[in-house]
Amino acid sequence: MRELELIECLAQVLAPGGPRVLRWLGDDAAVVRARGYAVTSVDTLVDGVHFRSGQLTPTEIGQRAVGSALSDLAAMGAHGGEAYLALALAPGTALTDAVALCSGAQAAAASCGVTIAGGDVSASPTLTVSVTVVGWARDPGELVGRDGARPGDLVAVTGSLGAAGAGLALLDGRAGRAGRAGSDAISESVATALRDRYASPRPRLDAGLALSALGATAMIDLSDGLATDARHLAMQSGDRLELRLAALPLAAGVREVAAQLDVDPATFAATAGEDYELCACLPASAQEAVESGCLLKAGALDRPPITWIGRVLEPPAGLSFVDSVGPLSGYEHSA
Amino acid sequence: MRELELIECLAQVLAPGGPRVLRWLGDDAAVVRARGYAVTSVDTLVDGVHFRSGQLTPTEIGQRAVGSALSDLAAMGAHGGEAYLALALAPGTALTDAVALCSGAQAAAASCGVTIAGGDVSASPTLTVSVTVVGWARDPGELVGRDGARPGDLVAVTGSLGAAGAGLALLDGRAGRAGRAGSDAISESVATALRDRYASPRPRLDAGLALSALGATAMIDLSDGLATDARHLAMQSGDRLELRLAALPLAAGVREVAAQLDVDPATFAATAGEDYELCACLPASAQEAVESGCLLKAGALDRPPITWIGRVLEPPAGLSFVDSVGPLSGYEHSA
């Protein structure tokens, strides 16, 4: 496969952006009309490190690369803008597989209103997908960093946790639909949903904007797992986050997979990672606004819109789970 | 080496940007105050494909990755802004080598007034450096694509050609300082300069801005070599570019290396690639402005500021060298 041949195929798969994208594929650089503040993040997925190409279709690899990258924009409370796709393809990659990967990337971007405006194609011994995402904000005050949590804030997560880790356990064969005892069996539809959460994460851009509008003081997306990521919020804010394992919203099927793996379900959900939900600290006044249903529209999230899982306390900085017997290290996730 | 340890080291190597960079390393994304139009490009270097890690120091790998990426902004006539560095490091990479690579990246960025505002560190079987560069323009009319050349325009290149290809031939051992006959020997200082042009390309951002101000109608940077890159200008503009091999500005030492390789020096310079000079089409009126010295300040370029090498003719679209006996295929460059 020749680079130019591939780029021509990609130009057909990718959809040109709206009027803000003045130049995209085919020139030395893309040109995009800017809004006030550019919010930029890069995320790289390497075959054998962040995923295994035998476990995912090329389409899913593209979806996963773009979905996980866009999650960083959600965590800032930014509006999605553009994505740039740097593909390094292993020798012998079929043109159809490369095009399928880009179709998956395009689908993930389009579902968030994001344009893939450029990128790079090269050869590599190792399939590597590096995605740069650019979001925009009118005012930097709309954006939420990791460092603004204050004592008295409440801690919330979006959606449900543990699904991606459970999906990977099913893909890896560490867990199975039949289970061991009957009580830990999983239906086909639940197994499919778990696998999809791993293969094709849905970045929470709408929720990120809503949480920012609610006054979120600190926010992060859950890529490494709540136990790691909430600690970043605590350390960078200089406060203590106190969370409750029992409060974590577990995805359907997580209890069963955790039972098969002989780990506590909530511990699994807090450490398995890659759910790409958001964890945010919010002023206590936001709780009433959320529960009265304003700002977070029904249907924007696939479970209770957000779940309150803890609170922010005075320093020293750190993270604790009030209902855990020790530090969470029972389950280490690896792709 | 742990990811967080490395990121802490990098934060010390990289210099925080000016007042426009509101957030950089350490959050989910960088936040940069935008100017009118964002100009964005991604360039990936893979060990064994685009360079060989045994031939370059880690510092040079970083310089080369950022320098070659910024060259795409030069080719658009954009002002340099920010760079984002996605590093995938092979197992066993020493922390000192990773830091040196970032120091090289930082040096290349700083020399162009560019801030490294973020990035990503991961593991990979194959050292891979993917660099996203962002430049800015107040007005899209200041930017120069590949598609605007018009019959009657003149074609120019900046600086000198063939240096990077000759430097790589010296690194590869295909050529040497002593030469074969005495007449093709190369002095130590010339050999060092050729090697440096390969190891640490200098993106022509100032020249790109000057050529844009002179009214450049189409522009590209010379990554694959003039014979390939000028053809892109011709095909995307829909015109014929007629160039003269004899007019090409050869870097010192290129004649000698080409003689050692038994290839015509100008053919070598037109095909060896990776010089990261600019090739631009300009209205004929620009020639007088250039030669009277306005706009291109002395010292901004390291040789005759620009060299006129041909002209743009009516369609059919294509590229020809008037003084070549056939298509240029005598020398194929590969890293």
PDB file of all heavy atoms in Angstrom, chain B residues 41-69:
ATOM      1  N   SER B  41      -0.424  20.735  11.996  1.00  0.00           N
ATOM      2  CA  SER B  41       0.135  19.611  11.250  1.00  0.00           C
ATOM      3  C   SER B  41       0.712  18.592  12.219  1.00  0.00           C
ATOM      4  O   SER B  41       1.152  18.941  13.315  1.00  0.00           O
ATOM      5  CB  SER B  41       1.224  20.128  10.303  1.00  0.00           C
ATOM      6  OG  SER B  41       1.860  19.062   9.649  1.00  0.00           O
ATOM      7  N   VAL B  42       0.728  17.336  11.814  1.00  0.00           N
ATOM      8  CA  VAL B  42       1.290  16.254  12.629  1.00  0.00           C
ATOM      9  C   VAL B  42       2.342  15.520  11.818  1.00  0.00           C
ATOM     10  O   VAL B  42       2.137  15.248  10.632  1.00  0.00           O
ATOM     11  CB  VAL B  42       0.200  15.239  13.034  1.00  0.00           C
ATOM     12  CG1 VAL B  42       0.777  14.199  13.985  1.00  0.00           C
ATOM     13  CG2 VAL B  42      -0.977  15.929  13.666  1.00  0.00           C
ATOM     14  N   ASP B  43       3.448  15.221  12.439  1.00  0.00           N
ATOM     15  CA  ASP B  43       4.548  14.523  11.777  1.00  0.00           C
ATOM     16  C   ASP B  43       5.071  13.452  12.724  1.00  0.00           C
ATOM     17  O   ASP B  43       5.358  13.739  13.888  1.00  0.00           O
ATOM     18  CB  ASP B  43       5.666  15.521  11.499  1.00  0.00           C
ATOM     19  CG  ASP B  43       6.106  15.495  10.062  1.00  0.00           C
ATOM     20  OD1 ASP B  43       5.380  14.978   9.208  1.00  0.00           O
ATOM     21  OD2 ASP B  43       7.212  16.000   9.802  1.00  0.00           O
ATOM     22  N   THR B  44       5.220  12.236  12.217  1.00  0.00           N
ATOM     23  CA  THR B  44       5.659  11.126  13.057  1.00  0.00           C
ATOM     24  C   THR B  44       6.991  10.579  12.560  1.00  0.00           C
ATOM     25  O   THR B  44       7.157  10.352  11.358  1.00  0.00           O
ATOM     26  CB  THR B  44       4.595  10.009  13.028  1.00  0.00           C
ATOM     27  OG1 THR B  44       3.352  10.543  13.474  1.00  0.00           O
ATOM     28  CG2 THR B  44       4.998   8.856  13.932  1.00  0.00           C
ATOM     29  N   LEU B  45       7.920  10.390  13.471  1.00  0.00           N
ATOM     30  CA  LEU B  45       9.194   9.740  13.144  1.00  0.00           C
ATOM     31  C   LEU B  45       9.257   8.403  13.870  1.00  0.00           C
ATOM     32  O   LEU B  45       9.072   8.340  15.088  1.00  0.00           O
ATOM     33  CB  LEU B  45      10.378  10.608  13.582  1.00  0.00           C
ATOM     34  CG  LEU B  45      10.535  11.992  12.958  1.00  0.00           C
ATOM     35  CD1 LEU B  45      11.881  12.600  13.360  1.00  0.00           C
ATOM     36  CD2 LEU B  45      10.437  11.922  11.439  1.00  0.00           C
ATOM     37  N   VAL B  46       9.535   7.348  13.111  1.00  0.00           N
ATOM     38  CA  VAL B  46       9.591   5.996  13.656  1.00  0.00           C
ATOM     39  C   VAL B  46      11.018   5.466  13.509  1.00  0.00           C
ATOM     40  O   VAL B  46      11.599   5.539  12.416  1.00  0.00           O
ATOM     41  CB  VAL B  46       8.603   5.077  12.905  1.00  0.00           C
ATOM     42  CG1 VAL B  46       8.676   3.649  13.440  1.00  0.00           C
ATOM     43  CG2 VAL B  46       7.183   5.617  12.986  1.00  0.00           C
ATOM     44  N   ASP B  47      11.541   4.949  14.596  1.00  0.00           N
ATOM     45  CA  ASP B  47      12.900   4.394  14.567  1.00  0.00           C
ATOM     46  C   ASP B  47      12.971   3.254  13.555  1.00  0.00           C
ATOM     47  O   ASP B  47      12.134   2.352  13.557  1.00  0.00           O
ATOM     48  CB  ASP B  47      13.269   3.877  15.966  1.00  0.00           C
ATOM     49  CG  ASP B  47      14.747   3.521  16.077  1.00  0.00           C
ATOM     50  OD1 ASP B  47      15.519   3.790  15.132  1.00  0.00           O
ATOM     51  OD2 ASP B  47      15.134   2.972  17.128  1.00  0.00           O
ATOM     52  N   GLY B  48      13.970   3.313  12.678  1.00  0.00           N
ATOM     53  CA  GLY B  48      14.146   2.271  11.674  1.00  0.00           C
ATOM     54  C   GLY B  48      13.406   2.564  10.381  1.00  0.00           C
ATOM     55  O   GLY B  48      13.642   1.920   9.363  1.00  0.00           O
ATOM     56  N   VAL B  49      12.511   3.551  10.420  1.00  0.00           N
ATOM     57  CA  VAL B  49      11.771   3.933   9.214  1.00  0.00           C
ATOM     58  C   VAL B  49      12.201   5.337   8.766  1.00  0.00           C
ATOM     59  O   VAL B  49      12.615   5.535   7.627  1.00  0.00           O
ATOM     60  CB  VAL B  49      10.241   3.893   9.449  1.00  0.00           C
ATOM     61  CG1 VAL B  49       9.478   4.343   8.201  1.00  0.00           C
ATOM     62  CG2 VAL B  49       9.810   2.493   9.860  1.00  0.00           C
ATOM     63  N   HIS B  50      12.135   6.293   9.689  1.00  0.00           N
ATOM     64  CA  HIS B  50      12.474   7.682   9.356  1.00  0.00           C
ATOM     65  C   HIS B  50      13.847   8.086   9.859  1.00  0.00           C
ATOM     66  O   HIS B  50      14.347   9.164   9.530  1.00  0.00           O
ATOM     67  CB  HIS B  50      11.427   8.633   9.943  1.00  0.00           C
ATOM     68  CG  HIS B  50      10.048   8.308   9.507  1.00  0.00           C
ATOM     69  ND1 HIS B  50       9.203   7.548  10.265  1.00  0.00           N
ATOM     70  CD2 HIS B  50       9.366   8.596   8.370  1.00  0.00           C
ATOM     71  CE1 HIS B  50       8.037   7.407   9.622  1.00  0.00           C
ATOM     72  NE2 HIS B  50       8.127   8.021   8.485  1.00  0.00           N
ATOM     73  N   PHE B  51      14.418   7.312  10.718  1.00  0.00           N
ATOM     74  CA  PHE B  51      15.774   7.552  11.220  1.00  0.00           C
ATOM     75  C   PHE B  51      16.237   6.249  11.856  1.00  0.00           C
ATOM     76  O   PHE B  51      15.438   5.317  12.028  1.00  0.00           O
ATOM     77  CB  PHE B  51      15.785   8.694  12.248  1.00  0.00           C
ATOM     78  CG  PHE B  51      15.090   8.340  13.536  1.00  0.00           C
ATOM     79  CD1 PHE B  51      15.812   7.863  14.631  1.00  0.00           C
ATOM     80  CD2 PHE B  51      13.711   8.449  13.654  1.00  0.00           C
ATOM     81  CE1 PHE B  51      15.161   7.516  15.807  1.00  0.00           C
ATOM     82  CE2 PHE B  51      13.055   8.099  14.822  1.00  0.00           C
ATOM     83  CZ  PHE B  51      13.786   7.636  15.902  1.00  0.00           C
ATOM     84  N   ARG B  52      17.526   6.213  12.175  1.00  0.00           N
ATOM     85  CA  ARG B  52      18.019   5.049  12.926  1.00  0.00           C
ATOM     86  C   ARG B  52      18.620   5.557  14.219  1.00  0.00           C
ATOM     87  O   ARG B  52      19.515   6.404  14.217  1.00  0.00           O
ATOM     88  CB  ARG B  52      19.069   4.283  12.115  1.00  0.00           C
ATOM     89  CG  ARG B  52      18.480   3.626  10.892  1.00  0.00           C
ATOM     90  CD  ARG B  52      19.284   2.415  10.440  1.00  0.00           C
ATOM     91  NE  ARG B  52      18.558   1.731   9.358  1.00  0.00           N
ATOM     92  CZ  ARG B  52      18.726   2.035   8.064  1.00  0.00           C
ATOM     93  NH1 ARG B  52      19.605   2.941   7.699  1.00  0.00           N
ATOM     94  NH2 ARG B  52      18.021   1.405   7.158  1.00  0.00           N
ATOM     95  N   SER B  53      18.104   5.028  15.338  1.00  0.00           N
ATOM     96  CA  SER B  53      18.502   5.594  16.626  1.00  0.00           C
ATOM     97  C   SER B  53      20.005   5.429  16.869  1.00  0.00           C
ATOM     98  O   SER B  53      20.588   6.209  17.611  1.00  0.00           O
ATOM     99  CB  SER B  53      17.679   4.991  17.769  1.00  0.00           C
ATOM    100  OG  SER B  53      17.682   3.590  17.696  1.00  0.00           O
ATOM    101  N   GLY B  54      20.639   4.459  16.224  1.00  0.00           N
ATOM    102  CA  GLY B  54      22.084   4.310  16.393  1.00  0.00           C
ATOM    103  C   GLY B  54      22.888   5.403  15.701  1.00  0.00           C
ATOM    104  O   GLY B  54      24.063   5.607  16.013  1.00  0.00           O
ATOM    105  N   GLN B  55      22.258   6.116  14.780  1.00  0.00           N
ATOM    106  CA  GLN B  55      22.986   7.135  14.011  1.00  0.00           C
ATOM    107  C   GLN B  55      22.849   8.529  14.597  1.00  0.00           C
ATOM    108  O   GLN B  55      23.557   9.448  14.180  1.00  0.00           O
ATOM    109  CB  GLN B  55      22.461   7.172  12.571  1.00  0.00           C
ATOM    110  CG  GLN B  55      22.795   5.917  11.769  1.00  0.00           C
ATOM    111  CD  GLN B  55      22.290   6.013  10.340  1.00  0.00           C
ATOM    112  OE1 GLN B  55      21.323   6.718  10.065  1.00  0.00           O
ATOM    113  NE2 GLN B  55      22.944   5.300   9.441  1.00  0.00           N
ATOM    114  N   LEU B  56      21.910   8.712  15.485  1.00  0.00           N
ATOM    115  CA  LEU B  56      21.650  10.044  16.035  1.00  0.00           C
ATOM    116  C   LEU B  56      21.685   9.974  17.556  1.00  0.00           C
ATOM    117  O   LEU B  56      21.319   8.962  18.154  1.00  0.00           O
ATOM    118  CB  LEU B  56      20.266  10.545  15.585  1.00  0.00           C
ATOM    119  CG  LEU B  56      20.043  10.724  14.082  1.00  0.00           C
ATOM    120  CD1 LEU B  56      18.589  11.097  13.812  1.00  0.00           C
ATOM    121  CD2 LEU B  56      20.975  11.787  13.516  1.00  0.00           C
ATOM    122  N   THR B  57      22.082  11.044  18.185  1.00  0.00           N
ATOM    123  CA  THR B  57      21.973  11.117  19.637  1.00  0.00           C
ATOM    124  C   THR B  57      20.502  11.343  19.997  1.00  0.00           C
ATOM    125  O   THR B  57      19.715  11.832  19.166  1.00  0.00           O
ATOM    126  CB  THR B  57      22.792  12.291  20.201  1.00  0.00           C
ATOM    127  OG1 THR B  57      22.198  13.517  19.743  1.00  0.00           O
ATOM    128  CG2 THR B  57      24.251  12.238  19.729  1.00  0.00           C
ATOM    129  N   PRO B  58      20.106  11.021  21.224  1.00  0.00           N
ATOM    130  CA  PRO B  58      18.714  11.310  21.623  1.00  0.00           C
ATOM    131  C   PRO B  58      18.370  12.792  21.434  1.00  0.00           C
ATOM    132  O   PRO B  58      17.256  13.128  21.006  1.00  0.00           O
ATOM    133  CB  PRO B  58      18.688  10.913  23.101  1.00  0.00           C
ATOM    134  CG  PRO B  58      19.739   9.849  23.223  1.00  0.00           C
ATOM    135  CD  PRO B  58      20.838  10.266  22.275  1.00  0.00           C
ATOM    136  N   THR B  59      19.318  13.682  21.731  1.00  0.00           N
ATOM    137  CA  THR B  59      19.071  15.113  21.541  1.00  0.00           C
ATOM    138  C   THR B  59      18.746  15.411  20.078  1.00  0.00           C
ATOM    139  O   THR B  59      17.813  16.165  19.774  1.00  0.00           O
ATOM    140  CB  THR B  59      20.310  15.926  21.980  1.00  0.00           C
ATOM    141  OG1 THR B  59      20.651  15.551  23.311  1.00  0.00           O
ATOM    142  CG2 THR B  59      20.046  17.417  21.917  1.00  0.00           C
ATOM    143  N   GLU B  60      19.517  14.795  19.177  1.00  0.00           N
ATOM    144  CA  GLU B  60      19.277  15.031  17.747  1.00  0.00           C
ATOM    145  C   GLU B  60      17.926  14.463  17.307  1.00  0.00           C
ATOM    146  O   GLU B  60      17.244  15.060  16.465  1.00  0.00           O
ATOM    147  CB  GLU B  60      20.412  14.423  16.914  1.00  0.00           C
ATOM    148  CG  GLU B  60      21.711  15.215  17.029  1.00  0.00           C
ATOM    149  CD  GLU B  60      22.908  14.498  16.421  1.00  0.00           C
ATOM    150  OE1 GLU B  60      22.878  13.246  16.311  1.00  0.00           O
ATOM    151  OE2 GLU B  60      23.887  15.184  16.082  1.00  0.00           O
ATOM    152  N   ILE B  61      17.544  13.328  17.857  1.00  0.00           N
ATOM    153  CA  ILE B  61      16.235  12.764  17.499  1.00  0.00           C
ATOM    154  C   ILE B  61      15.125  13.756  17.864  1.00  0.00           C
ATOM    155  O   ILE B  61      14.203  14.003  17.087  1.00  0.00           O
ATOM    156  CB  ILE B  61      16.017  11.396  18.185  1.00  0.00           C
ATOM    157  CG1 ILE B  61      17.023  10.374  17.633  1.00  0.00           C
ATOM    158  CG2 ILE B  61      14.577  10.899  17.983  1.00  0.00           C
ATOM    159  CD1 ILE B  61      17.087   9.065  18.415  1.00  0.00           C
ATOM    160  N   GLY B  62      15.233  14.360  19.042  1.00  0.00           N
ATOM    161  CA  GLY B  62      14.252  15.361  19.447  1.00  0.00           C
ATOM    162  C   GLY B  62      14.285  16.594  18.559  1.00  0.00           C
ATOM    163  O   GLY B  62      13.230  17.124  18.161  1.00  0.00           O
ATOM    164  N   GLN B  63      15.496  17.056  18.220  1.00  0.00           N
ATOM    165  CA  GLN B  63      15.622  18.225  17.344  1.00  0.00           C
ATOM    166  C   GLN B  63      15.014  17.938  15.978  1.00  0.00           C
ATOM    167  O   GLN B  63      14.307  18.762  15.402  1.00  0.00           O
ATOM    168  CB  GLN B  63      17.107  18.586  17.161  1.00  0.00           C
ATOM    169  CG  GLN B  63      17.744  19.193  18.389  1.00  0.00           C
ATOM    170  CD  GLN B  63      19.236  19.440  18.200  1.00  0.00           C
ATOM    171  OE1 GLN B  63      19.934  18.647  17.563  1.00  0.00           O
ATOM    172  NE2 GLN B  63      19.721  20.530  18.775  1.00  0.00           N
ATOM    173  N   ARG B  64      15.320  16.746  15.466  1.00  0.00           N
ATOM    174  CA  ARG B  64      14.875  16.397  14.120  1.00  0.00           C
ATOM    175  C   ARG B  64      13.355  16.277  14.087  1.00  0.00           C
ATOM    176  O   ARG B  64      12.699  16.722  13.133  1.00  0.00           O
ATOM    177  CB  ARG B  64      15.521  15.074  13.713  1.00  0.00           C
ATOM    178  CG  ARG B  64      15.360  14.738  12.282  1.00  0.00           C
ATOM    179  CD  ARG B  64      16.516  13.853  11.797  1.00  0.00           C
ATOM    180  NE  ARG B  64      16.402  13.717  10.375  1.00  0.00           N
ATOM    181  CZ  ARG B  64      15.602  12.830   9.780  1.00  0.00           C
ATOM    182  NH1 ARG B  64      14.891  12.007  10.507  1.00  0.00           N
ATOM    183  NH2 ARG B  64      15.524  12.791   8.474  1.00  0.00           N
ATOM    184  N   ALA B  65      12.778  15.682  15.113  1.00  0.00           N
ATOM    185  CA  ALA B  65      11.323  15.486  15.132  1.00  0.00           C
ATOM    186  C   ALA B  65      10.605  16.834  15.142  1.00  0.00           C
ATOM    187  O   ALA B  65       9.660  17.060  14.374  1.00  0.00           O
ATOM    188  CB  ALA B  65      10.917  14.651  16.345  1.00  0.00           C
ATOM    189  N   VAL B  66      11.049  17.732  16.008  1.00  0.00           N
ATOM    190  CA  VAL B  66      10.367  19.032  16.108  1.00  0.00           C
ATOM    191  C   VAL B  66      10.709  19.917  14.915  1.00  0.00           C
ATOM    192  O   VAL B  66       9.835  20.590  14.355  1.00  0.00           O
ATOM    193  CB  VAL B  66      10.706  19.721  17.444  1.00  0.00           C
ATOM    194  CG1 VAL B  66      10.241  21.165  17.460  1.00  0.00           C
ATOM    195  CG2 VAL B  66      10.055  18.947  18.589  1.00  0.00           C
ATOM    196  N   GLY B  67      11.972  19.899  14.482  1.00  0.00           N
ATOM    197  CA  GLY B  67      12.374  20.730  13.343  1.00  0.00           C
ATOM    198  C   GLY B  67      11.614  20.362  12.080  1.00  0.00           C
ATOM    199  O   GLY B  67      11.101  21.232  11.362  1.00  0.00           O
ATOM    200  N   SER B  68      11.515  19.066  11.800  1.00  0.00           N
ATOM    201  CA  SER B  68      10.826  18.658  10.569  1.00  0.00           C
ATOM    202  C   SER B  68       9.331  18.940  10.665  1.00  0.00           C
ATOM    203  O   SER B  68       8.689  19.286   9.670  1.00  0.00           O
ATOM    204  CB  SER B  68      11.098  17.185  10.265  1.00  0.00           C
ATOM    205  OG  SER B  68      10.666  16.359  11.323  1.00  0.00           O
ATOM    206  N   ALA B  69       8.760  18.819  11.854  1.00  0.00           N
ATOM    207  CA  ALA B  69       7.330  19.115  12.003  1.00  0.00           C
ATOM    208  C   ALA B  69       7.057  20.604  11.796  1.00  0.00           C
ATOM    209  O   ALA B  69       6.108  20.991  11.104  1.00  0.00           O
ATOM    210  CB  ALA B  69       6.836  18.670  13.381  1.00  0.00           C
TER     211      ALA B  69
END
